[in-house]
Amino acid sequence: MPKDFSGKNLRGRNFKGQDLTGAKFIGADIRGANFTNAILKEADFTRAKAGLQRRWTIFLLTISLFLSLISGLMSGITSFWVTLLFTPDNIKQYTLIPGVFLLIVLAIFFIVTVHQGLVAGEVAIVVAAAMVAPVARVGAVAVAVAAAAGVAMAAAVAGAVAGAAGVAVAVAVGGVGAGAVAVAVAGVGVGVGVGVVVVAAGVAVAVAVAVAVAGAGVALGIYVAWRALAGDEKHALIRTIAIVFAATGGTSFRNADLTDANFTEATLKSTDLRTANLTRTCFRNTEKLDRARVGNSILADTRVRELLITGKGYKKSYFGANLQGANLTGVDLSYANLKQANLSEATLHQANLEFANLTETQALATDFTKAYFTGACLEAWNIDANTKLDRVNCRFVFLLEYPQPETGDRERRPHDPSKCFEPGDFEKLYKKIMETVQILLKDGINPEAFVAAFKKLMREFPDITPESIQGVEKKENDVLLTLKVPEGTDKGKVEQIWDEVYQARLEAQMRTEQLKSKDEIIEIERHNYRLFQDFVRGVFSKNFEQDELLKLTRPSVDVSITNTNTPQSKLESTAMNPTNSNNINARDINQSTLNSNISGTVTNSINQLPASPQSDQPGIKELLTELQTAIEAETDLSDEDKAEALEQVKALAEVGKNPQESTMQKTGKTAMKILKGTIAGLPSAATLVEACSKLLPAIASLLLLP
C-alpha cells in the first residue's frame, strides 16, 4: 500500500533511492528533503512546500550579503581611482583628458552590460580601453594613468558581478525583502568608498564624480540581478549562479523518477530537478518553479515552463520547442504555433488544439484523447501506432501550412467545405497514416542515392519491401516518398538510416564530380540512371509504381544510349579520356580487391552449412556455392553489383543455419528480392540470368521462402 506522508513535517528527511511509487505528500513540508534516485511514480505532492531549511537559508543569505558588501566596496574603489584623475592639480592644469576618457570607457561598459549582458560588457570595456588608451595618456604621466584606469575598470567589473550575484542570490533565497537588505548593504559599501574619496580629494568635482560612479555601479548590479531573475537570456550567467546557490541544501529530486507525479500548487523554490524523469509530471499552478534548478530538462525553456504552470498557450509560439513527455492535460493551445515542436510521449488529454499549427511536429506515442483539433494544420506531422487519437473532437483539418499559389487550397479534409468529420472519422483517417513514414527528397530523386538507401532499409528492416511504398508525390522541386511500416517499427530510425545513406551518396557524387571531366560526369549519370531503371523494374511488380518513380527521376543527360559496359565502349571511353585511365584502373583494382574480400567471407559462411546427404541431390550449401560462382563469373555485371549480389548470398547462407526462425525468413525474402532486382537489368541471354532462373526457386524451396 502506498505510503501517506500528507501534512507531515519531513524537513531534512532522507528518502534517497527509496521506492515511493504512489506515495502521498499532500501539503507536506519537504524543505531540505533528499529524494535523489528515488522512484516517485504517480506520487502526489499537491501543495507540498519544498526549498531550504532555516540553517541553509541563513548561510546563503550571509554569502549574498557579503557579495553585496563587496560590490559596494568595489564601486567605492572605482570612484576613488577615478577621482585621482580629478585632483586639484589636474583641474588647475586642465589635464582632465585621462579622467574624461576613463568615464567614457565606464559608460560604455554600463551601457553594453545593460543591453547585451555582463560577458559582452567585459569584452566592451577591454576593447574601449585599448582604443582610448593612447589618447588618454596625452598630457599625463603614463604609468599613473594606466594604473588608475586599470584598477578602476577592474573594480567596476568586479563590483557589477558581485552586486548582481549578491542581490540575485538574496532574492532567490529569501525573497524581495532579503534583496532589499542586500541593496542596503551594498549602499554601506558605497558610502565607505565615497567617504574615503571625500577625505582624500576634498574637491566638489571629485566628490560628485565619485558619488555618480559608485551609484551607477550599484544600480547596474541591481538591474542585472532583476533582469536575470526575470528570465532575461542576456543575463543567464547571473541567473545560473543565483539558482545554483539557492538550490544548495534545498529539496533534491535529482535523478528521481517523477513519471506521472503531481506537483499541483506546490512550492518548488530552491529545488534540484536535474536529470529527473519528468514524463507526464504535472506542474499546474506551482509556485516559484523558476527558482528551481532544472538542468537541461524541458523546464529550462521559459515558454514551456510557463505553459506547464498556467496551461495558457493561446496564440503563443512554441516553434521547435521541446515538449517531450510534458503533461499538457487540458491546456489551451488554440491558434498556437507548434511547428517542429516535439510532443512525443506527451499527454494532451482534452487539450484545445483548434487552428493550431502542427506542421512537422513530432507526436510519437502522444496521448491526444478527447483533444480538440478543428482547423489544425497537420502538414507532415509525425505520429505512430502508439499515438492515441481516441474520441478526438474534430470537424475538419488542413494538410498544408500555406495555400497553394495556383489554387489557394490548403488541402482541407474533408475536401468538401460543406462537410465535416463525423465522430470517429478523424481517428479512422489517421489510423492509416500512423503506420507510414514520410521522407522528403530535396530537388527530386537522385537515382544512385535512392537505390542505395532503399536497399539499406530492406536489409535493416526485412518487413520493408518495394510494396511498402504507398505514394510518390511531387512537391514543387521536391518529392515526398511515403513508406508503410509495420506496427512497432522505430520510424525515427527508418528516417535516420535513409538520410544517412542518401546524403552520404549525394556527397560522394559531389566529390566525384569535382574530380571528373564533363564527359565522365555525363557517363556516370547515365550509368546511375540505368542502375536505377534496372532496380525499379526488377523489384517493383506494379507498373504504375515503376512509372511514377521513373517519371519523377529526371536525369540531366540523355540516357537513350547503347550499353557502355561492352569492351568496345569501355575502350572508346578510355581512348576519349586517356588522362583519366589510371584513375579508372585504380578504382577498378580497389573494387576487385573488395569483391575478393567479400567472396572469401561468403565462402566461409557457406562452408558453415552442412553438405547434402545425397550426392546426386544438391542441398542449400551446394546451391549457394553454385550461385556464388555464377555471380563471380558474370561479365555483364558491374563490380559494384557483384559485391551487392554476393552480400545477398551471404545473407541467404545465414538464413540456411536457421531457416524456420521468423526474422531469418524476413531476411531471406529481402535477399531474394535484391538478387532479382540486381539481375533484372542483364541481357536475357546472360549466364547469370539462366543460372538464377533455376537456382533461386530451388534455394527458396529449401529455405522455406514463399
Side-chain angles (χ1 to χ4, degrees):
M1 182 177 179
K3 296 181 179 180
D4 191 348
F5 300 97
S6 299
K8 293 185 178 180
N9 183 357
L10 302 173
R11 295 183 188 177
R13 285 280 297 272
N14 187 6
F15 297 98
K16 184 175 182 180
Q18 295 186 25
D19 187 349
L20 297 169
T21 300
K24 297 183 183 298
F25 297 88
I26 301 173
D29 187 345
I30 57 173
R31 285 179 287 184
N34 185 7
F35 293 97
T36 301
N37 295 320
I39 300 175
L40 293 160
K41 294 179 179 179
E42 300 180 356
D44 191 351
F45 290 92
T46 300
R47 298 187 302 280
K49 188 173 184 179
L52 295 165
Q53 296 187 79
R54 186 178 298 276
R55 63 177 182 271
W56 274 101
T57 301
I58 295 173
F59 173 70
L60 292 176
L61 284 176
T62 301
I63 291 178
S64 70
L65 296 179
F66 175 74
L67 290 173
S68 299
L69 180 62
I70 292 297
S71 171
L73 290 173
M74 287 296 177
S75 296
I77 291 173
T78 301
S79 63
F80 173 76
W81 285 99
V82 170
T83 55
L84 288 181
L85 303 177
F86 289 89
T87 61
D89 291 338
N90 284 337
I91 294 175
K92 291 177 182 179
Q93 298 174 21
Y94 302 100
T95 56
L96 297 177
I97 294 177
V100 172
F101 273 97
L102 179 55
L103 290 178
I104 293 173
V105 171
L106 292 176
I108 292 173
F109 167 65
F110 290 159
I111 294 171
V112 174
T113 298
V114 168
H115 290 89
Q116 300 296 329
L118 274 171
V119 176
E122 293 170 4
V123 174
I125 198 172
V126 173
V127 174
M131 293 176 63
V132 304
V135 181
R137 287 198 294 268
V138 174
V141 179
V143 176
V145 170
V151 173
M153 289 185 288
V157 174
V161 174
V167 175
V169 171
V171 174
V173 173
V176 177
V181 174
V183 172
V185 171
V188 172
V190 170
V192 173
V194 173
V196 172
V197 171
V198 173
V199 173
V203 180
V205 175
V207 173
V209 171
V211 172
V213 172
V218 172
L220 179 63
I222 295 171
Y223 173 80
V224 171
W226 168 58
R227 293 306 305 160
L229 292 178
D232 193 331
E233 290 300 320
K234 295 192 297 289
H235 306 290
L237 176 63
I238 296 300
R239 172 183 169 79
T240 301
I241 293 173
I243 296 300
V244 169
F245 268 102
T248 303
T251 305
S252 176
F253 290 102
R254 187 169 186 179
N255 206 37
D257 189 348
L258 293 167
T259 302
D260 294 311
N262 183 12
F263 284 96
T264 301
E265 298 182 4
T267 301
L268 296 174
K269 179 181 69 173
S270 301
T271 301
D272 190 350
L273 291 165
R274 288 176 297 166
T275 64
N277 185 345
L278 302 178
T279 303
R280 297 184 298 278
T281 305
C282 179
F283 292 101
R284 190 61 52 86
N285 297 324
T286 56
E287 296 183 9
K288 300 180 179 179
L289 183 58
D290 59 326
R291 308 289 170 82
R293 193 175 183 185
V294 298
N296 295 322
S297 69
I298 61 174
L299 299 174
D301 188 330
T302 302
R303 300 172 300 168
V304 174
R305 186 171 63 245
E306 290 302 312
L307 178 62
L308 293 175
I309 295 173
T310 65
K312 299 176 181 178
Y314 172 71
K315 282 191 175 181
K316 294 184 179 179
S317 176
Y318 300 96
F319 180 90
N322 180 15
L323 290 155
Q324 184 170 0
N327 189 326
L328 300 172
T329 300
V331 299
D332 182 5
L333 286 167
S334 55
Y335 294 92
N337 183 10
L338 291 158
K339 185 174 181 178
Q340 295 182 11
N342 185 1
L343 291 171
S344 296
E345 300 178 11
T347 176
L348 288 95
H349 187 84
Q350 293 185 320
N352 186 355
L353 292 162
E354 292 187 342
F355 295 95
N357 184 3
L358 293 166
T359 301
E360 298 180 40
T361 298
Q362 297 294 315
L364 307 179
T366 306
D367 186 358
F368 289 110
T369 302
K370 293 186 178 180
Y372 298 84
F373 270 93
T374 298
C377 176
L378 307 179
E379 181 179 357
W381 74 327
N382 194 7
I383 58 179
D384 64 6
N386 296 317
T387 303
K388 294 182 180 179
L389 296 168
D390 301 341
R391 291 165 288 171
V392 163
N393 188 316
C394 181
R395 299 193 303 277
F396 59 88
V397 294
F398 298 102
L399 302 186
L400 291 179
E401 181 181 8
Y402 300 107
Q404 293 179 346
E406 301 83 5
T407 63
D409 185 21
R410 291 186 59 200
E411 292 290 335
R412 183 188 188 274
R413 296 292 187 277
H415 292 281
D416 189 343
S418 65
K419 294 184 178 180
C420 294
F421 287 129
E422 296 294 331
D425 285 354
F426 181 85
E427 181 183 357
K428 293 175 183 177
L429 173 66
Y430 279 94
K431 192 174 184 63
K432 298 179 181 178
I433 298 178
M434 287 181 185
E435 301 302 334
T436 63
V437 175
Q438 290 188 317
I439 300 171
L440 189 65
L441 306 177
K442 294 289 187 180
D443 300 320
I445 296 176
N446 179 282
E448 182 189 9
F450 186 96
V451 173
F454 205 93
K455 286 183 177 180
K456 179 68 172 178
L457 280 186
M458 289 195 295
R459 285 196 294 268
E460 295 291 330
F461 300 92
D463 284 323
I464 294 180
T465 66
E467 285 72 24
S468 299
I469 295 183
Q470 299 296 294
V472 184
E473 184 180 357
K474 184 75 171 176
K475 295 282 187 179
E476 295 183 355
N477 294 329
D478 306 327
V479 172
L480 184 65
L481 175 67
T482 302
L483 297 175
K484 182 179 180 180
V485 295
E487 182 176 347
T489 300
D490 187 340
K491 296 168 70 176
K493 187 177 180 182
V494 170
E495 190 170 356
Q496 178 186 357
I497 290 175
W498 178 281
D499 288 341
E500 287 178 354
V501 177
Y502 198 88
Q503 292 302 321
R505 287 302 180 102
L506 289 181
E507 292 172 6
Q509 281 187 4
M510 291 178 62
R511 290 194 297 269
T512 300
E513 290 178 359
Q514 291 174 356
L515 301 175
K516 299 294 183 181
S517 66
K518 182 178 179 180
D519 290 339
E520 286 180 307
I521 294 173
I522 292 174
E523 181 57 33
I524 289 172
E525 291 191 8
R526 286 170 173 166
H527 175 69
N528 289 338
Y529 187 71
R530 282 195 300 274
L531 289 179
F532 180 72
Q533 287 179 311
D534 294 343
F535 174 76
V536 170
R537 291 166 180 163
V539 300
F540 290 91
S541 57
K542 301 176 183 177
N543 289 331
F544 83 90
E545 291 175 340
Q546 298 179 15
D547 294 340
E548 285 297 317
L549 280 172
L550 294 175
K551 182 173 64 176
L552 293 172
T553 310
R554 299 295 186 186
S556 58
V557 298
D558 180 17
V559 296
S560 302
I561 58 174
T562 57
N563 189 347
T564 58
N565 285 327
T566 63
Q568 179 182 356
S569 60
K570 286 185 177 180
L571 183 60
E572 291 174 351
S573 177
T574 304
M576 292 172 62
N577 300 280
T579 57
N580 294 315
S581 59
N582 291 334
N583 294 334
I584 296 173
N585 291 338
R587 180 192 63 193
D588 292 342
I589 291 171
N590 290 335
Q591 185 65 51
S592 298
T593 302
L594 177 62
N595 287 353
S596 178
N597 293 335
I598 295 174
S599 181
T601 305
V602 174
T603 300
N604 291 335
S605 297
I606 294 176
N607 286 337
Q608 295 176 22
L609 298 172
S612 173
Q614 302 176 7
S615 58
D616 59 340
Q617 187 71 31
I620 188 64
K621 180 178 181 179
E622 290 75 18
L623 292 174
L624 290 178
T625 300
E626 189 175 346
L627 178 59
Q628 177 188 4
T629 302
I631 292 172
E632 293 172 349
E634 181 56 62
T635 57
D636 287 328
L637 200 63
S638 68
D639 287 339
E640 292 180 359
D641 286 343
K642 282 184 181 180
E644 180 64 46
L646 289 173
E647 287 286 354
Q648 305 316 312
V649 176
K650 178 185 174 184
L652 292 174
E654 295 298 323
V655 175
K657 297 176 183 179
N658 192 2
Q660 295 182 342
E661 186 179 335
S662 59
T663 56
M664 289 290 99
Q665 283 285 301
K666 294 176 181 178
T667 300
K669 288 191 290 185
T670 301
M672 294 292 281
K673 283 182 175 292
I674 294 176
L675 282 171
K676 291 176 181 178
T678 301
I679 65 173
L682 296 176
S684 57
T687 305
L688 182 58
V689 174
E690 183 180 354
C692 285
S693 66
K694 300 176 181 178
L695 292 173
L696 293 185
I699 292 171
S701 176
L702 290 176
L703 296 180
L704 308 177
L705 299 176

